Amino acid sequence: MKSCTKNIIDRYQKLSYSEKIFADYVLLNKAKVIYMSVAELSNATHIAASTVISATKKLGYSGIREFKISLASEQLNPVDHMLIPTKQSDFNNIFKDVVHSNIYALKETLNTLNPLLIEQAVELLLAADTIHIYGIGTSAILAQEAYDFLFRLCLNCVIYTDPYYQKISIATQKENDVSLIISQSGVNREILFIADQIHSYGHKIIGISNYMGTPFSKYCNVLLAALPNVSNIHDNHFSFRIPILCIIETIYYSLTQAMGDRYKSALDLNQSIINETSLTNTNY
């Protein structure tokens, strides 16, 4: 039987604007939604109670009760290999759980991500006049990592984490610019708005995310996704950041291979600055 999350992703584009607001809220608050009434969901999403009910029916359920039962059953079956340490764990077991969780996430990424997509992303980045980098919340931290890698290669890139500047940057993008958008969940409403606006201008988007098949993925010219299925585990689980960092690092090294002499110039510049500021060049 198809999971509730899979139902939402598969039928997302058939929902109305208000119903999509409900769907976005559910994907970001699964554990909380199963305990909320229709009225509480209506207040939380600022949409009519009748829209909440119609959304559940469009998703294939008889109503809110069946929808919440399906969502609740999904919460009881998290990804077995993604181990979240509990308060009862001793330090040794916590360390083991964290390491095994990260190893599993990386193995899944290795099995999921097509290397040809990395090549396509590198081609877009090298051809871009300006690379616009976007992220919100914890994804903004990952976006900063991407900016650091690209900036060290002396590529013309700018990062936007403030909503006001994000909107300005979208409106001022040029034809040959490329956007690099990072969204861990793939369902964040603000990120979806950014992606939709950039897409409407016809500009290229490289997306980096935890999951394939999310609403975010539909806007990306190239999607670099770590995992094939949306997980039931909370998105703030740190193991979900590791594959994205790995993807960003892979882009960096792939760029160094493709840049040739441009990379050597960037490397020489970085090295000269490091040498100037290194303690080894001071007298003590």
Side-chain angles (χ1 to χ4, degrees):
M1 185 176 180
K2 189 183 293 186
S3 71
C4 186
T5 297
K6 190 71 166 60
N7 263 336
I8 294 173
I9 292 171
D10 288 350
R11 306 189 186 201
Y12 186 87
Q13 292 303 321
K14 296 180 180 179
L15 301 177
S16 68
Y17 175 81
S18 295
E19 290 167 346
K20 285 179 180 177
I21 293 176
F22 168 77
D24 292 342
Y25 184 84
V26 171
L27 290 172
L28 290 171
N29 302 276
K30 297 175 193 174
K32 184 164 62 174
V33 167
I34 60 178
Y35 300 106
M36 297 173 71
S37 66
V38 172
E40 289 171 333
L41 285 167
S42 174
N43 289 333
T45 55
H46 305 291
I47 61 175
S50 59
T51 304
V52 172
I53 295 171
S54 69
T56 63
K57 291 182 177 180
K58 272 196 184 179
L59 293 170
Y61 303 97
S62 59
I64 190 67
R65 183 174 180 276
E66 185 181 6
F67 173 79
K68 290 200 294 182
I69 289 173
S70 176
L71 190 62
S73 65
E74 187 177 280
Q75 304 307 301
L76 297 175
N77 296 285
V79 178
D80 293 334
H81 300 280
M82 302 297 283
L83 304 170
I84 301 179
T86 65
K87 291 181 180 179
Q88 289 73 37
S89 300
D90 60 36
F91 292 118
N92 183 51
N93 286 330
I94 289 174
F95 175 68
K96 288 181 179 179
D97 285 351
V98 169
V99 170
H100 286 303
S101 184
N102 287 323
I103 289 172
Y104 175 77
L106 287 172
K107 283 183 176 179
E108 283 293 292
T109 307
L110 194 61
N111 293 329
T112 301
L113 186 59
N114 185 345
L116 291 176
L117 294 175
I118 296 287
E119 183 179 348
Q120 292 174 21
V122 166
E123 289 175 356
L124 286 175
L125 291 170
L126 288 179
D129 289 340
T130 303
I131 302 166
H132 302 266
I133 305 172
Y134 300 90
I136 291 174
T138 53
S139 293
I141 299 171
L142 296 168
Q144 184 64 51
E145 289 287 339
Y147 171 77
D148 181 65
F149 274 114
L150 298 181
F151 186 72
R152 286 174 183 271
L153 293 174
C154 297
L155 296 177
N156 186 22
C157 55
V158 189
I159 185 170
Y160 307 97
T161 56
D162 179 89
Y164 180 75
Y165 291 109
Q166 286 171 343
K167 292 176 182 177
I168 293 176
S169 73
I170 293 168
T172 57
Q173 280 195 31
K174 302 295 189 296
E175 183 180 354
N176 291 325
D177 291 351
V178 169
S179 294
L180 177 63
I181 307 178
I182 298 179
S183 176
Q184 290 188 85
S185 68
V187 296
N188 181 279
R189 191 182 305 168
E190 284 76 16
I191 281 290
L192 291 177
F193 173 81
I194 290 169
D196 179 64
Q197 290 296 302
I198 296 171
H199 186 265
S200 69
Y201 283 106
H203 298 311
K204 296 289 191 300
I205 296 175
I206 300 169
I208 303 179
S209 183
N210 281 322
Y211 315 114
M212 301 170 65
T214 62
F216 172 64
S217 68
K218 303 180 189 304
Y219 295 106
C220 300
N221 297 93
V222 177
L223 175 69
L224 305 174
L227 303 170
N229 301 309
V230 175
S231 171
N232 303 323
I233 296 176
H234 197 279
D235 289 315
N236 281 337
H237 188 36
F238 287 100
S239 293
F240 290 129
R241 301 184 193 183
I242 303 300
I244 291 180
L245 289 170
C246 187
I247 290 170
I248 293 169
E249 187 172 354
T250 302
I251 290 173
Y252 171 81
Y253 285 115
S254 298
L255 281 167
T256 64
Q257 295 289 322
M259 288 174 67
D261 290 340
R262 286 177 64 187
Y263 169 62
K264 186 178 184 305
S265 297
L267 183 64
D268 289 344
L269 175 61
N270 277 271
Q271 193 60 53
S272 66
I273 294 172
I274 290 171
N275 289 339
E276 289 174 6
T277 57
S278 174
L279 288 174
T280 58
N281 285 334
T282 59
N283 295 318
Y284 285 99

